[in-house]
Amino acid sequence: MGLLDGVDWQGKIFKGGEWTTGRGGDYPVVEPATGAELGRMGLATAEDVAEAGASAAEAQRKWAALPHPARAAVLRRAGDLWQQHADEISGWNIREVGAVPGMAGFALHVAAEECYEAASLPSRPYGELLPSEQPRLSMARRVPAGVVSVISPFNVPIILGIRSVAPALALGNAVILKPDPRTAVTGGTLMARIFEEAGLPAGVLQMLPGGADVGEALVTDPHIRVISFTGSTPVGRRIGEIAGRHLKRAHLELGGNSALLVLDDADVDAAVNLAAWGSFFNQGQICMTTGRHLVADRIYDQFVERLADKAGKLPVGNPATEQVALGPIIDAGQRDKIHRLVTASAGQGAVVASGGSYEELFYRPTVLADVPIEAPAFAEEVFGPVAPITRVSSVDEAVALAGASEYGLSLGIVTRDVMRGLAVAEQIPTGIVHINDQTVNDEANAPFGGVRASGTGSRFGGPAANIEAFTETRWITMRGEPATYPF
């Protein structure tokens, strides 16, 4: 039986352990490749958030009090369920998100691994003994933050939701998940069903699709102590401001404009293979997408010619019915933003070496050569299948241009001299670096996050980052006899 078989989820949200009608009504789930309606989702309101927050706070206390093997077992079962229901979930991912099958498979692999990694967290040491100048036992202990809100985006909804949901749950928190309404089945309903089937107690995970009002309520609700947000930098700034006013922690994984430095000793064909994947994978709708190609003058012309040729041959179409390398852009608004940046950059002198056109929501993989650093495709996050290329005359120039961006998420460097690549990377502030690889990588046990306008640092991945993100530190002392004081 499938995850959604026999479950009355259509037009519903998941609140308080029940599939129920949201106060905002419902809306259609649309397949971007065809425009077909795939189903209906419930729409939450701020009032739903208030009710979910109260019930989550109550459920969290009981969940956190369970023996650690019980929490670990739920996470392990969740990991198994991602694998058992891979075909069903992948089908939704392909149709609702527009992901090609390879991307859908990767997302499912990461989701299972995130749960297995999180399953190790409940049994980890959660404190330390401290020396004290008093005759007492002094210790620092990590305790659950309480209720965590997770706000995830449309582009990779499974990964960008589960990497917060799984560790937050494992560490004894309750979670209220707000997926992007455009991909709420893949990023919300299926995730809620996974944990429901895994035996998570009612109310510990709730799922509320909604708009900006729901997002703001998830930041301001008094029951919620930590906000984990993945999305655009402008929205992240707004969430950070509101969270600051309410004295809450906000973990912000934001936009990027990641650079790929192709040094003068690089193998051109290898570099082109990396560049195409980095810029065109998942239609370029990834925060780590290679957004700027800084290529050494000696191999620049070869690089442009071969990347343009490769881009021109990549098939684009409906990933549910065709074997393609790129599927559709999520919606017309995002497509038009991409095209606006491409045409504006061409107007400022960039050469469209390949692509630059679209049919419906299918945007051709685009190569822009000779891109001025003032052009929007170089300076801004495009979030589409566009590879802007700029010629550099020296490593120093490449370093300067790579570091001049306001973003600082991921960095790729292609060179035959690995130590040289590492020395170059040390001069460019980013949260992630890959030598002889492109900029799009993710593993469940690795810390993930950016600096500058890309976010507030590594708040996901690996036990240290996850424990820091989703717990609080409590100081505890114990004496055999009550202390005495002068008065």
Side-chain angles (χ1 to χ4, degrees), residues 223-308:
H223 296 100
I224 295 169
R225 300 308 310 155
V226 172
I227 301 96
S228 180
F229 170 78
T230 302
S232 72
T233 296
V235 175
R237 291 185 194 278
R238 171 69 175 157
I239 287 175
E241 291 172 0
I242 298 172
R245 288 201 299 273
H246 289 263
L247 302 179
K248 298 183 182 184
R249 281 190 290 154
H251 306 312
L252 308 173
E253 201 285 283
L254 308 177
N257 191 6
S258 299
L260 181 71
L261 276 60
V262 183
L263 305 189
D264 57 6
D265 63 342
D267 179 291
V268 176
D269 288 331
V272 166
N273 176 259
L274 295 174
W277 187 265
S279 284
F280 305 144
F281 184 49
N282 201 42
Q283 298 78 260
Q285 296 176 134
I286 304 175
C287 58
M288 297 171 284
T289 290
T290 303
R292 294 172 296 153
H293 301 248
L294 304 174
V295 182
D297 181 74
R298 190 179 72 83
I299 58 175
Y300 179 87
D301 292 335
Q302 296 177 65
F303 181 90
V304 171
E305 180 182 357
R306 295 179 195 181
L307 183 57

Side-chain angles (χ1 to χ4, degrees), residues 88-165:
E88 177 185 4
I89 300 170
S90 179
W92 272 102
N93 202 1
I94 291 167
R95 296 196 67 191
E96 183 189 33
V97 183
V100 297
M103 180 64 190
F106 174 68
L108 285 166
H109 166 73
V110 171
E113 290 301 313
E114 289 284 358
C115 290
Y116 294 139
E117 281 290 323
S120 71
L121 293 174
S123 60
R124 287 185 177 271
Y126 58 84
E128 58 182 343
L129 293 177
L130 306 173
S132 177
E133 62 186 31
Q134 298 292 324
R136 62 190 177 191
L137 183 65
S138 179
M139 67 186 79
R141 180 183 174 187
R142 287 285 187 171
V143 297
V147 181
V148 174
S149 66
V150 176
I151 303 173
S152 61
F154 75 84
N155 56 319
V156 193
I158 292 175
I159 295 177
L160 302 184
I162 195 65
R163 71 180 181 189
S164 293
V165 169

Side-chain angles (χ1 to χ4, degrees), residues 198-451:
L200 188 70
V204 178
L205 173 63
Q206 307 191 43
M207 190 277 299
L208 308 179
D213 61 326
V214 173
E216 184 163 347
L218 286 169
V219 180
T220 61
D221 186 271
H223 296 100
I224 295 169
R225 300 308 310 155
V226 172
I227 301 96
S228 180
F229 170 78
T230 302
S232 72
T233 296
V235 175
R237 291 185 194 278
R238 171 69 175 157
I239 287 175
E241 291 172 0
I242 298 172
R245 288 201 299 273
H246 289 263
L247 302 179
K248 298 183 182 184
R249 281 190 290 154
H251 306 312
L252 308 173
E253 201 285 283
L254 308 177
N257 191 6
S258 299
L260 181 71
L261 276 60
V262 183
L263 305 189
D264 57 6
D265 63 342
D267 179 291
V268 176
D269 288 331
V272 166
N273 176 259
L274 295 174
W277 187 265
S279 284
F280 305 144
F281 184 49
N282 201 42
Q283 298 78 260
Q285 296 176 134
I286 304 175
C287 58
M288 297 171 284
T289 290
T290 303
R292 294 172 296 153
H293 301 248
L294 304 174
V295 182
D297 181 74
R298 190 179 72 83
I299 58 175
Y300 179 87
D301 292 335
Q302 296 177 65
F303 181 90
V304 171
E305 180 182 357
R306 295 179 195 181
L307 183 57
D309 180 67
K310 189 177 188 71
K313 296 175 180 176
L314 291 175
V316 180
N318 185 349
T321 59
E322 307 170 62
Q323 265 199 317
V324 296
L326 286 80
I329 301 301
I330 189 66
D331 59 23
Q334 182 62 25
R335 177 205 63 200
D336 292 346
K337 176 199 169 190
I338 295 165
H339 196 59
R340 188 164 59 249
L341 292 174
V342 168
T343 54
S345 298
Q348 293 186 24
V351 176
V352 181
S354 183
S357 60
Y358 63 87
E359 293 182 12
E360 297 179 337
L361 296 183
F362 300 102
Y363 206 94
R364 287 295 311 170
T366 298
V367 176
L368 297 178
D370 302 336
V371 179
I373 61 175
E374 301 84 9
F378 184 93
E380 300 178 31
E381 181 181 33
V382 177
F383 220 67
V386 179
I389 312 173
T390 298
R391 186 191 305 262
V392 293
S393 59
S394 66
V395 172
D396 288 344
E397 183 182 7
V399 167
L401 289 178
S405 171
E406 68 169 335
Y407 296 104
L409 183 52
S410 190
L411 172 69
I413 299 175
V414 189
T415 176
R416 297 177 193 270
D417 185 341
V418 175
M419 297 309 295
R420 180 192 186 198
L422 185 58
V424 169
E426 294 294 329
Q427 304 174 62
I428 304 168
T430 60
I432 302 166
V433 176
H434 301 293
I435 309 297
N436 285 326
D437 204 349
Q438 44 75 44
T439 55
V440 181
N441 282 277
D442 198 0
E443 293 187 16
N445 66 331
F448 185 99
V451 298

